[in-house]
Amino acid sequence: QVQLVESGGGSVQAGGSLKVSCAAPKYIFTTCGMGWYRQAPGKERELVSSISRNGFTTYADSVKGRFTISRDKAKNMLYLQMNSLKTEDTAVYYCAACLNQYNRYAYWGQGTQVTVSS
């Protein structure tokens, strides 16, 4: 069982910044793409950002220009730097890895809460 562990969530005021992290097994970074999802109360889980095995990144329109996905292969870490946070960014953020044959991520972390207050 692949274990992904998120950390770095918390509470911040609107306009502030927060960085969430995801620790994953080393081989994940050389064999799989990874992504960040979020789920707000009463809403479906949505893809926030992804990074392919080759480093190609994507972002949801709602976070473009504010969020940056990155990884540190030496530390086996995936990051999501979130700037200019808005109250609508409040959600549980999940790390995911390895797209399967159905183009869905096979492995998931437990999630970390991000709360943005006005």
Side-chain angles (χ1 to χ4, degrees):
Q1 184 71 14
V2 175
Q3 188 173 19
L4 306 178
V5 181
E6 300 98 335
S7 60
S11 298
V12 65
Q13 288 193 322
S17 297
L18 208 58
K19 187 175 185 178
V20 290
S21 305
C22 173
K26 186 175 184 65
Y27 76 90
I28 290 291
F29 292 89
T30 57
T31 60
C32 295
M34 300 181 75
W36 287 99
Y37 278 74
R38 68 184 180 187
Q39 188 167 20
K43 295 187 177 181
E44 293 187 354
R45 190 173 297 190
E46 63 172 348
L47 178 63
V48 176
S49 181
S50 68
I51 184 166
S52 72
R53 185 181 60 180
N54 297 323
F56 180 76
T57 59
T58 68
Y59 296 92
D61 288 342
S62 59
V63 307
K64 280 181 181 177
R66 301 188 298 121
F67 290 12
T68 303
I69 191 170
S70 64
R71 60 190 178 188
D72 187 331
K73 292 182 179 181
K75 295 182 179 179
N76 304 330
M77 296 292 291
L78 178 74
Y79 304 104
L80 185 68
Q81 176 67 47
M82 303 180 288
N83 299 327
S84 302
L85 282 161
K86 304 176 181 180
T87 55
E88 52 262 44
D89 294 318
T90 295
V92 177
Y93 284 72
Y94 298 90
C95 173
C98 302
L99 289 170
N100 60 19
Q101 67 267 41
Y102 305 108
N103 205 35
R104 295 183 178 180
Y105 286 105
Y107 308 115
W108 293 82
Q110 81 288 351
T112 185
Q113 177 70 46
V114 171
T115 302
V116 185
S117 59
S118 59

